[in-house]
């Protein structure tokens, strides 16, 4: 008993925040001490040092980290160590941080960018939209001036705004609004488009409405539509609403949408579907702020060129036919009512400019938002959505290409795929020995499906733990009930029916795996061709800026393990969140930013991969995990060697 | 026998163009000689010297004209004499002109103004609309410039037209038009609205379409809509189409339309009805020229303010409620598609400016067309339609008023009333003795009904011949089957069923008479108040210019006999035809003319008769034939005295 209580060469480990102390044998891992103390720590990867979930803080004493794979230099300095990978070498004082804290610290984890003001903003100075409160003299027999002239007269008299112009739909509202509001109204005005031009009256609201002014930035993805509701007085994003693009029902990628658009009424149908989605999201966001969508007076819209064509009702056929021509890369401004958007009917909808058929405004906005157009560093900007677009360059030059990744990473086209929303499995760890998974669900609910980051994570884990071979074949002979033959071939069950929200097994099938492999291969091949096109290699790239609504959830390590991202030092990768929406938001706030996007669109060179044989070669070579040429992924090779 | 063949003191009358000679007794009338020769001449008024239909030319010899009531000094100089009123005083040589010639010469008769070019016109110089043929370079993989930029590039390169702007509906057509036309297209461009502005692309037509360019001038009357189809290359009116305004089914005057507009969907219904009428007329005119309505690229529209409000979908209620305010006297320009006009969707529809609720663009256009705004003579301009509007002034000043005449003079609101079209009785003569009518039908067909000029003519005849008393009561005791008690009270049958096109008696009822009396009283009262308002009398008025689609058919003498027009010398009255449509046509051709209308609208003073008691008094006094105060109509009193 003495031996047990005071073992020779044993160490004392105290858990500071739990007020417990245990004695351990030399050579023990911190995870052993934690279990001995009856405390809990997550080890979803089965103690392989891969997930970083078991990170603890060594407050005092000596410990040897066998792996620091999940830890940054700063983490190490602050005492972080992975419990499953750290050998106790003296008496220790250890703190087990709350799990949430760990998740926030893990540098390769989901880091949804907070929507901060991108620059100092002053509504009066920056915003072309203004409201003016008017007290208009009511008419009488001695002064039978017409309604419109009364409004114009008051704006000229009190606000020095001469020869205001307006449009029919506004004039249609004047008589009733003026009388219902007893001649006290708020004029909503757009600044002149040209110097010495006339301001344009776009609406008249009853009463004094000068204390609110709303706009929206909209990113139309092939798969996901995102709406930012923006308070144009403060410049702040007040609400974000996102949902699948209603067009998905008519085809999952841009090519199938374009083909659908050539059918009778197909174009109109697609236009209606996307405006339906936008209107639903706008209504949702407005409801949360207790305003009406008709109070939204300006919208900046980005999307790939096909999405913009379908929104505007432009026939998209020439986009998919050589030589791949858009109708307009710089679409004309339109009023909301012209395209069925349920903001204020006269709200200006500004579809930002793109570059080519497969290099749209989502990317020019992304470049703006990433500030690639103003940096000295050689930067690779990428936006991974249904399409993968990449831009390489500096403030001096910009070259770009695009590849069709398909919607797999957005959770579509995968049997149990879903968007990164409540109930989505966003991260998976597979135990090396048991092949049992551990997963994290957004909102800590019962899982409904797997989102993009979850799919990448799952694919990487299945590969690293040997459940899947390099070609993506699931091994049915592992003796695990998780790997089985399903109706669509081999599949891996992530969650059993009794754990799942809708009482059905959640599994990844071989068909899903093949979709995911094609998606990642297309993206990697794009990078590769782009970098080579300017005679450079990945090593020359100083930073990789990852945008896109999906990009923000990618785990770099996992993405490298499956060969989606090139094998570069993790600290060169930066997540920027939804750069497309953010670029639209910037353009909505400020005309300089709007001008920068136009400049970016004008000076960006676009490489057409469809006309490039080297792309096909790169794509075929990238259909393996992580790649046919394992030498391109040394860090993955190292890890595989460690596992083996 | 000798006596008979060579009567003592007899005269020989030779009919030059018929090669006949007769001998007549001294004191004979030329009409006696005509009848004696077995020749024919029209004497619809029964030989009372009122109709002027029996005019002949006395080539040689002496004759005494007992009346020259229908003849101008020039007519007399040329030898014209009324056969029924001219006494043979020597041997004569007489020519009986063809009846058509007489009709053309009768100075107070229908004189539909020919639509001549109002001023020298040069399309290149005067027209803001231009076509440019473009041969565009097709795209290829080396030049993937978008469609819109290709068009813009070509316009800049070859035609020095920089930074062309356009609208979404045009952009929607680009891809298909360019490819279908094999990149050879015609750009339809509007000149910049402001100096140094950009030209605006409103359409792209396949192939070379530079040899045609169409516009339309449209006059929307409460009762009648008129469309001029204009060749904008030559400036000529190529077609005129007119029909009842489809809104008549919802009320005959502006007030009932305004009331209808306040009902649910009432405004939309009225808008649809008038655009339906316009579109039908436009299609009709275009069909005759073998063009499509979509080839019409500019429209100038006039109408009273209510008509313009209903066309544009502006709620008209405040027009009829004191203080009678329009939404906009200067409506904004709209594109045809915005208001459902089936011209080219992007055709600019320019609704010309008006002055007040009851002084619309039909009158400003009429003033332009009459050149009242540029004359030194004190001029009264009037437009008689469903409303009677009058403008008094010179180049220095303009004062106006309006009264509601109702649609009676346009043939509506009268049981057998109709528009002045084929089958309409346009002129009636009633025999002094038999009370039998003679009438003239447009197109010499069987009559279908009576148009406005026919109604005025009939009313005057019934009064002059004593079929009707001063209060408009039909005398049932004349012993004529023409005057009878019908289902709506006393009525006068103009055409028996067997003469009429649809086999029914065509009659004028007491109800019709009362409607016509109210209409003429309102117009006369308006004149009276207007002239008095500036301290003048009718004698000061140097000329009366009569416009309006109905005005062109008024017979001045008849109109004076019923007290519709003031009793002034006939040569002070001038018919200008449809001045509203002509003013719109002028504005369509030339921007100076367009500017003049705006100036007219800005400087015209409007007197609101609804707020003027003297109008009611004048109106009540004018409800008699010709007026309560017979002294105001000395010429009518003279004629009545002659008849008695």
């Amino acid at each position: 008993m003495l031996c047990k209580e005071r073992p020779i060469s044993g160490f004392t480990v105290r858990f500071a925040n739990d007020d417990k102390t245990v004695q351990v044998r030399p050579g023990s891992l911190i995870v052993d001490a934690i279990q001995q103390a009856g405390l809990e720590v997550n080890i979803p990867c089965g103690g392989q040092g891969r997930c970083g979930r078991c990170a603890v803080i060594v407050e005092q004493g000596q410990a040897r980290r066998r792996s620091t794979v999940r830890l940054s230099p700063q983490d190490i300095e602050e005492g972080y160590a992975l419990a499953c990978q750290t050998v106790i070498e003296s008496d220790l004082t250890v703190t087990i941080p709350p799990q949430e804290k760990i998740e926030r610290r893990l540098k390769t984890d989901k880091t949804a960018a907070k929507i901060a003001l991108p620059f100092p903003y002053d509504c009066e100075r920056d915003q072309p939209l203004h409201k003016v409160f008017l007290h208009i003299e009511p008419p009488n027999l001695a002064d039978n001036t017409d309604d419109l002239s009364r409004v114009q007269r008051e704006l000229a008299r009190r606000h020095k705004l001469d020869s205001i112009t307006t449009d029919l739909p506004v004039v249609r509202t004047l008589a009733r609004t003026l009388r219902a509001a007893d001649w006290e109204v708020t004029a909503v005005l757009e600044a002149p488009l040209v110097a010495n031009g006339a301001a344009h009256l776009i609406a008249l609201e009853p009463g004094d409405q000068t204390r609110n002014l709303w706009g929206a930035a909209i990113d139309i993805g092939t798969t996901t539509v995102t709406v930012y509701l923006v308070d144009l007085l403060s410049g702040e994003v007040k609400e974000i609403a996102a949902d699948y693009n209603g067009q998905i029902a008519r085809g999952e990628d841009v090519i199938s949408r374009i083909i659908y658009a050539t059918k009778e009424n197909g174009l109109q149908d697609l236009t209606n579907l996307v405006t339906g989605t936008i209107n639903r999201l706008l209504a949702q966001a407005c409801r949360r702020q207790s305003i009406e969508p008709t109070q939204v007076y300006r919208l900046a819209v980005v999307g790939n060129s096909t999405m913009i064509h379908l929104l505007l009702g432009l026939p998209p056929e020439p986009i998919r036919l050589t030589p791949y021509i858009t109708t307009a890369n710089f679409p004309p401004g339109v009023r909301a009512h012209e395209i069925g958007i349920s903001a204020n009917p006269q709200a200006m909808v500004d579809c930002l400019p793109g570059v080519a058929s497969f290099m749209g405004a989502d990317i020019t906005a992304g470049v703006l938002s990433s500030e690639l157009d103003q940096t000295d560093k050689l930067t690779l900007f990428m936006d991974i959505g249904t399409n993968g677009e990449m831009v390489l360059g500096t403030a001096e030059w910009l070259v770009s290409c695009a590849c069709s990744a398909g919607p797999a990473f957005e959770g579509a086209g995968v049997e149990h795929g879903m968007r990164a929303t409540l109930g989505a499995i966003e991260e998976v760890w597979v135990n090396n020995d048991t092949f049992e998974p551990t997963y994290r669900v957004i909102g800590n609910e019962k899982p409904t499906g797997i989102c993009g980051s979850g799919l990448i994570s799952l694919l990487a884990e299945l590969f690293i733990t040997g459940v899947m071979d390099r070609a993506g074949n699931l091994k049915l002979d592992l003796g695990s009930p998780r790997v089985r033959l399903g109706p669509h071939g081999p599949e891996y069950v992530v969650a059993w029916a009794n754990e799942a929200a809708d009482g059905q097994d959640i599994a990844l099938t071989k068909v899903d795996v093949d979709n995911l492999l094609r998606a990642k291969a297309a993206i990697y091949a794009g990078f590769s061709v782009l970098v080579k096109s300017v005679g450079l290699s990945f090593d020359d790239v100083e930073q990789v800026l990852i945008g896109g609504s999906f990009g923000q959830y990618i785990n770099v390590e996992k993405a490298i393990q499956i060969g989606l991202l090139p094998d570069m030092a993790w600290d060169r990768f930066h997540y920027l969140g939804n750069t497309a929406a953010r670029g639209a938001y910037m353009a909505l706030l400020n005309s300089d930013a709007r001008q920068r996007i136009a400049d970016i669109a004008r000076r960006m060179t676009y490489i057409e991969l469809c006309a490039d044989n080297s792309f096909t070669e790169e794509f075929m070579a990238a259909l393996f995990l992580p790649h046919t040429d394992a030498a391109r992924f040394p860090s993955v090779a190292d890890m595989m060697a460690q596992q083996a």
Side-chain angles (χ1 to χ4, degrees), chain A residues 287-309:
Chain A
R287 201 160 41 237
R288 286 191 220 131
Q289 287 287 320
S290 304
I291 64 165
E292 293 295 322
T294 51
Q295 289 178 262
V296 175
Y297 285 107
R298 272 188 79 217
L299 300 94
V301 178
V302 296
N304 63 54
S305 300
T306 301
M307 290 303 108
I308 297 299
H309 276 61

PDB file of all heavy atoms in Angstrom, chain A residues 287-309:
ATOM      1  N   ARG A 287     -37.352  40.696 -40.531  1.00  0.00           N
ATOM      2  CA  ARG A 287     -38.267  40.351 -39.434  1.00  0.00           C
ATOM      3  C   ARG A 287     -37.513  40.402 -38.105  1.00  0.00           C
ATOM      4  O   ARG A 287     -38.005  40.942 -37.127  1.00  0.00           O
ATOM      5  CB  ARG A 287     -38.835  38.954 -39.680  1.00  0.00           C
ATOM      6  CG  ARG A 287     -40.122  38.667 -38.933  1.00  0.00           C
ATOM      7  CD  ARG A 287     -40.893  37.504 -39.556  1.00  0.00           C
ATOM      8  NE  ARG A 287     -40.030  36.404 -39.960  1.00  0.00           N
ATOM      9  CZ  ARG A 287     -39.967  35.917 -41.199  1.00  0.00           C
ATOM     10  NH1 ARG A 287     -40.717  36.425 -42.158  1.00  0.00           N
ATOM     11  NH2 ARG A 287     -39.175  34.909 -41.476  1.00  0.00           N
ATOM     12  N   ARG A 288     -36.295  39.892 -38.106  1.00  0.00           N
ATOM     13  CA  ARG A 288     -35.512  39.878 -36.869  1.00  0.00           C
ATOM     14  C   ARG A 288     -35.179  41.290 -36.395  1.00  0.00           C
ATOM     15  O   ARG A 288     -34.953  41.529 -35.221  1.00  0.00           O
ATOM     16  CB  ARG A 288     -34.213  39.097 -37.071  1.00  0.00           C
ATOM     17  CG  ARG A 288     -34.441  37.600 -37.141  1.00  0.00           C
ATOM     18  CD  ARG A 288     -33.078  36.890 -37.077  1.00  0.00           C
ATOM     19  NE  ARG A 288     -33.022  35.757 -37.979  1.00  0.00           N
ATOM     20  CZ  ARG A 288     -32.031  35.520 -38.842  1.00  0.00           C
ATOM     21  NH1 ARG A 288     -31.015  36.361 -38.940  1.00  0.00           N
ATOM     22  NH2 ARG A 288     -32.070  34.466 -39.613  1.00  0.00           N
ATOM     23  N   GLN A 289     -35.128  42.248 -37.339  1.00  0.00           N
ATOM     24  CA  GLN A 289     -34.835  43.636 -36.963  1.00  0.00           C
ATOM     25  C   GLN A 289     -36.122  44.464 -36.890  1.00  0.00           C
ATOM     26  O   GLN A 289     -36.071  45.684 -36.758  1.00  0.00           O
ATOM     27  CB  GLN A 289     -33.894  44.277 -37.988  1.00  0.00           C
ATOM     28  CG  GLN A 289     -32.462  43.781 -37.897  1.00  0.00           C
ATOM     29  CD  GLN A 289     -31.736  44.317 -36.673  1.00  0.00           C
ATOM     30  OE1 GLN A 289     -31.878  45.471 -36.300  1.00  0.00           O
ATOM     31  NE2 GLN A 289     -30.968  43.450 -36.025  1.00  0.00           N
ATOM     32  N   SER A 290     -37.257  43.767 -37.014  1.00  0.00           N
ATOM     33  CA  SER A 290     -38.565  44.442 -36.966  1.00  0.00           C
ATOM     34  C   SER A 290     -38.681  45.556 -38.003  1.00  0.00           C
ATOM     35  O   SER A 290     -39.189  46.642 -37.718  1.00  0.00           O
ATOM     36  CB  SER A 290     -38.853  44.992 -35.569  1.00  0.00           C
ATOM     37  OG  SER A 290     -38.782  43.962 -34.624  1.00  0.00           O
ATOM     38  N   ILE A 291     -38.200  45.303 -39.186  1.00  0.00           N
ATOM     39  CA  ILE A 291     -38.405  46.251 -40.282  1.00  0.00           C
ATOM     40  C   ILE A 291     -39.038  45.504 -41.466  1.00  0.00           C
ATOM     41  O   ILE A 291     -39.132  44.276 -41.449  1.00  0.00           O
ATOM     42  CB  ILE A 291     -37.094  46.944 -40.743  1.00  0.00           C
ATOM     43  CG1 ILE A 291     -36.114  45.920 -41.336  1.00  0.00           C
ATOM     44  CG2 ILE A 291     -36.460  47.707 -39.594  1.00  0.00           C
ATOM     45  CD1 ILE A 291     -34.993  46.538 -42.131  1.00  0.00           C
ATOM     46  N   GLU A 292     -39.462  46.267 -42.449  1.00  0.00           N
ATOM     47  CA  GLU A 292     -40.038  45.665 -43.648  1.00  0.00           C
ATOM     48  C   GLU A 292     -38.980  45.629 -44.754  1.00  0.00           C
ATOM     49  O   GLU A 292     -38.151  46.548 -44.844  1.00  0.00           O
ATOM     50  CB  GLU A 292     -41.199  46.526 -44.167  1.00  0.00           C
ATOM     51  CG  GLU A 292     -42.399  46.572 -43.254  1.00  0.00           C
ATOM     52  CD  GLU A 292     -43.056  45.205 -43.111  1.00  0.00           C
ATOM     53  OE1 GLU A 292     -43.115  44.480 -44.125  1.00  0.00           O
ATOM     54  OE2 GLU A 292     -43.470  44.868 -41.993  1.00  0.00           O
ATOM     55  N   PRO A 293     -39.004  44.609 -45.594  1.00  0.00           N
ATOM     56  CA  PRO A 293     -38.040  44.582 -46.712  1.00  0.00           C
ATOM     57  C   PRO A 293     -38.118  45.843 -47.583  1.00  0.00           C
ATOM     58  O   PRO A 293     -37.119  46.248 -48.171  1.00  0.00           O
ATOM     59  CB  PRO A 293     -38.442  43.334 -47.510  1.00  0.00           C
ATOM     60  CG  PRO A 293     -39.091  42.439 -46.491  1.00  0.00           C
ATOM     61  CD  PRO A 293     -39.797  43.362 -45.535  1.00  0.00           C
ATOM     62  N   THR A 294     -39.295  46.465 -47.645  1.00  0.00           N
ATOM     63  CA  THR A 294     -39.408  47.679 -48.467  1.00  0.00           C
ATOM     64  C   THR A 294     -38.622  48.844 -47.873  1.00  0.00           C
ATOM     65  O   THR A 294     -38.488  49.878 -48.508  1.00  0.00           O
ATOM     66  CB  THR A 294     -40.875  48.100 -48.631  1.00  0.00           C
ATOM     67  OG1 THR A 294     -41.472  48.158 -47.348  1.00  0.00           O
ATOM     68  CG2 THR A 294     -41.628  47.128 -49.516  1.00  0.00           C
ATOM     69  N   GLN A 295     -38.097  48.681 -46.659  1.00  0.00           N
ATOM     70  CA  GLN A 295     -37.240  49.724 -46.090  1.00  0.00           C
ATOM     71  C   GLN A 295     -35.784  49.557 -46.536  1.00  0.00           C
ATOM     72  O   GLN A 295     -34.936  50.361 -46.155  1.00  0.00           O
ATOM     73  CB  GLN A 295     -37.329  49.701 -44.560  1.00  0.00           C
ATOM     74  CG  GLN A 295     -38.672  50.193 -44.034  1.00  0.00           C
ATOM     75  CD  GLN A 295     -38.749  50.105 -42.520  1.00  0.00           C
ATOM     76  OE1 GLN A 295     -39.307  49.161 -41.968  1.00  0.00           O
ATOM     77  NE2 GLN A 295     -38.177  51.079 -41.840  1.00  0.00           N
ATOM     78  N   VAL A 296     -35.523  48.536 -47.301  1.00  0.00           N
ATOM     79  CA  VAL A 296     -34.159  48.307 -47.796  1.00  0.00           C
ATOM     80  C   VAL A 296     -34.027  49.028 -49.143  1.00  0.00           C
ATOM     81  O   VAL A 296     -34.728  48.705 -50.093  1.00  0.00           O
ATOM     82  CB  VAL A 296     -33.867  46.792 -47.945  1.00  0.00           C
ATOM     83  CG1 VAL A 296     -32.503  46.564 -48.574  1.00  0.00           C
ATOM     84  CG2 VAL A 296     -33.968  46.123 -46.578  1.00  0.00           C
ATOM     85  N   TYR A 297     -33.140  50.023 -49.191  1.00  0.00           N
ATOM     86  CA  TYR A 297     -33.083  50.929 -50.340  1.00  0.00           C
ATOM     87  C   TYR A 297     -31.877  50.754 -51.256  1.00  0.00           C
ATOM     88  O   TYR A 297     -31.783  51.426 -52.270  1.00  0.00           O
ATOM     89  CB  TYR A 297     -33.150  52.382 -49.860  1.00  0.00           C
ATOM     90  CG  TYR A 297     -34.542  52.792 -49.438  1.00  0.00           C
ATOM     91  CD1 TYR A 297     -34.868  52.969 -48.099  1.00  0.00           C
ATOM     92  CD2 TYR A 297     -35.537  52.978 -50.394  1.00  0.00           C
ATOM     93  CE1 TYR A 297     -36.156  53.333 -47.718  1.00  0.00           C
ATOM     94  CE2 TYR A 297     -36.812  53.336 -50.026  1.00  0.00           C
ATOM     95  CZ  TYR A 297     -37.118  53.518 -48.696  1.00  0.00           C
ATOM     96  OH  TYR A 297     -38.388  53.873 -48.330  1.00  0.00           O
ATOM     97  N   ARG A 298     -30.908  49.940 -50.847  1.00  0.00           N
ATOM     98  CA  ARG A 298     -29.766  49.685 -51.747  1.00  0.00           C
ATOM     99  C   ARG A 298     -29.306  48.260 -51.546  1.00  0.00           C
ATOM    100  O   ARG A 298     -29.237  47.786 -50.408  1.00  0.00           O
ATOM    101  CB  ARG A 298     -28.583  50.620 -51.460  1.00  0.00           C
ATOM    102  CG  ARG A 298     -28.634  51.929 -52.221  1.00  0.00           C
ATOM    103  CD  ARG A 298     -27.325  52.694 -52.030  1.00  0.00           C
ATOM    104  NE  ARG A 298     -26.272  52.191 -52.870  1.00  0.00           N
ATOM    105  CZ  ARG A 298     -24.996  52.101 -52.507  1.00  0.00           C
ATOM    106  NH1 ARG A 298     -24.623  52.500 -51.314  1.00  0.00           N
ATOM    107  NH2 ARG A 298     -24.097  51.631 -53.337  1.00  0.00           N
ATOM    108  N   LEU A 299     -28.939  47.612 -52.629  1.00  0.00           N
ATOM    109  CA  LEU A 299     -28.427  46.253 -52.537  1.00  0.00           C
ATOM    110  C   LEU A 299     -27.198  46.118 -53.423  1.00  0.00           C
ATOM    111  O   LEU A 299     -27.183  46.606 -54.552  1.00  0.00           O
ATOM    112  CB  LEU A 299     -29.482  45.224 -52.997  1.00  0.00           C
ATOM    113  CG  LEU A 299     -30.796  45.217 -52.212  1.00  0.00           C
ATOM    114  CD1 LEU A 299     -31.828  46.096 -52.900  1.00  0.00           C
ATOM    115  CD2 LEU A 299     -31.348  43.816 -52.066  1.00  0.00           C
ATOM    116  N   ALA A 300     -26.166  45.485 -52.867  1.00  0.00           N
ATOM    117  CA  ALA A 300     -24.993  45.148 -53.664  1.00  0.00           C
ATOM    118  C   ALA A 300     -25.004  43.632 -53.769  1.00  0.00           C
ATOM    119  O   ALA A 300     -25.153  42.936 -52.759  1.00  0.00           O
ATOM    120  CB  ALA A 300     -23.723  45.640 -52.991  1.00  0.00           C
ATOM    121  N   VAL A 301     -24.879  43.131 -54.996  1.00  0.00           N
ATOM    122  CA  VAL A 301     -25.026  41.692 -55.218  1.00  0.00           C
ATOM    123  C   VAL A 301     -23.777  41.130 -55.883  1.00  0.00           C
ATOM    124  O   VAL A 301     -23.259  41.715 -56.840  1.00  0.00           O
ATOM    125  CB  VAL A 301     -26.238  41.405 -56.123  1.00  0.00           C
ATOM    126  CG1 VAL A 301     -26.381  39.913 -56.395  1.00  0.00           C
ATOM    127  CG2 VAL A 301     -27.517  41.939 -55.485  1.00  0.00           C
ATOM    128  N   VAL A 302     -23.297  40.010 -55.357  1.00  0.00           N
ATOM    129  CA  VAL A 302     -22.211  39.292 -56.028  1.00  0.00           C
ATOM    130  C   VAL A 302     -22.653  37.859 -56.260  1.00  0.00           C
ATOM    131  O   VAL A 302     -23.579  37.363 -55.623  1.00  0.00           O
ATOM    132  CB  VAL A 302     -20.899  39.305 -55.206  1.00  0.00           C
ATOM    133  CG1 VAL A 302     -20.371  40.720 -55.066  1.00  0.00           C
ATOM    134  CG2 VAL A 302     -21.102  38.654 -53.843  1.00  0.00           C
ATOM    135  N   GLY A 303     -21.946  37.216 -57.154  1.00  0.00           N
ATOM    136  CA  GLY A 303     -22.224  35.824 -57.472  1.00  0.00           C
ATOM    137  C   GLY A 303     -21.372  35.486 -58.665  1.00  0.00           C
ATOM    138  O   GLY A 303     -20.801  36.386 -59.288  1.00  0.00           O
ATOM    139  N   ASN A 304     -21.282  34.197 -58.996  1.00  0.00           N
ATOM    140  CA  ASN A 304     -20.528  33.891 -60.200  1.00  0.00           C
ATOM    141  C   ASN A 304     -21.345  34.377 -61.398  1.00  0.00           C
ATOM    142  O   ASN A 304     -22.516  34.728 -61.263  1.00  0.00           O
ATOM    143  CB  ASN A 304     -20.171  32.408 -60.268  1.00  0.00           C
ATOM    144  CG  ASN A 304     -21.390  31.520 -60.348  1.00  0.00           C
ATOM    145  OD1 ASN A 304     -22.240  31.694 -61.213  1.00  0.00           O
ATOM    146  ND2 ASN A 304     -21.483  30.576 -59.424  1.00  0.00           N
ATOM    147  N   SER A 305     -20.713  34.422 -62.556  1.00  0.00           N
ATOM    148  CA  SER A 305     -21.359  35.048 -63.707  1.00  0.00           C
ATOM    149  C   SER A 305     -22.671  34.360 -64.072  1.00  0.00           C
ATOM    150  O   SER A 305     -23.632  35.017 -64.461  1.00  0.00           O
ATOM    151  CB  SER A 305     -20.411  35.062 -64.902  1.00  0.00           C
ATOM    152  OG  SER A 305     -19.250  35.800 -64.565  1.00  0.00           O
ATOM    153  N   THR A 306     -22.731  33.057 -63.935  1.00  0.00           N
ATOM    154  CA  THR A 306     -23.985  32.361 -64.248  1.00  0.00           C
ATOM    155  C   THR A 306     -25.080  32.786 -63.277  1.00  0.00           C
ATOM    156  O   THR A 306     -26.220  33.049 -63.683  1.00  0.00           O
ATOM    157  CB  THR A 306     -23.778  30.831 -64.185  1.00  0.00           C
ATOM    158  OG1 THR A 306     -22.762  30.470 -65.117  1.00  0.00           O
ATOM    159  CG2 THR A 306     -25.063  30.094 -64.515  1.00  0.00           C
ATOM    160  N   MET A 307     -24.750  32.865 -62.005  1.00  0.00           N
ATOM    161  CA  MET A 307     -25.753  33.269 -61.011  1.00  0.00           C
ATOM    162  C   MET A 307     -26.285  34.674 -61.307  1.00  0.00           C
ATOM    163  O   MET A 307     -27.475  34.944 -61.161  1.00  0.00           O
ATOM    164  CB  MET A 307     -25.151  33.239 -59.596  1.00  0.00           C
ATOM    165  CG  MET A 307     -24.855  31.857 -59.070  1.00  0.00           C
ATOM    166  SD  MET A 307     -26.336  30.785 -59.063  1.00  0.00           S
ATOM    167  CE  MET A 307     -25.931  29.678 -60.417  1.00  0.00           C
ATOM    168  N   ILE A 308     -25.380  35.570 -61.713  1.00  0.00           N
ATOM    169  CA  ILE A 308     -25.814  36.945 -62.014  1.00  0.00           C
ATOM    170  C   ILE A 308     -26.672  36.957 -63.279  1.00  0.00           C
ATOM    171  O   ILE A 308     -27.689  37.643 -63.341  1.00  0.00           O
ATOM    172  CB  ILE A 308     -24.577  37.876 -62.151  1.00  0.00           C
ATOM    173  CG1 ILE A 308     -23.809  37.940 -60.817  1.00  0.00           C
ATOM    174  CG2 ILE A 308     -24.995  39.268 -62.610  1.00  0.00           C
ATOM    175  CD1 ILE A 308     -24.586  38.483 -59.641  1.00  0.00           C
ATOM    176  N   HIS A 309     -26.286  36.158 -64.270  1.00  0.00           N
ATOM    177  CA  HIS A 309     -27.110  36.078 -65.478  1.00  0.00           C
ATOM    178  C   HIS A 309     -28.513  35.580 -65.130  1.00  0.00           C
ATOM    179  O   HIS A 309     -29.510  36.133 -65.597  1.00  0.00           O
ATOM    180  CB  HIS A 309     -26.475  35.149 -66.523  1.00  0.00           C
ATOM    181  CG  HIS A 309     -25.430  35.831 -67.376  1.00  0.00           C
ATOM    182  ND1 HIS A 309     -24.290  36.389 -66.837  1.00  0.00           N
ATOM    183  CD2 HIS A 309     -25.360  36.064 -68.712  1.00  0.00           C
ATOM    184  CE1 HIS A 309     -23.575  36.926 -67.820  1.00  0.00           C
ATOM    185  NE2 HIS A 309     -24.201  36.739 -68.964  1.00  0.00           N
TER     186      HIS A 309
END
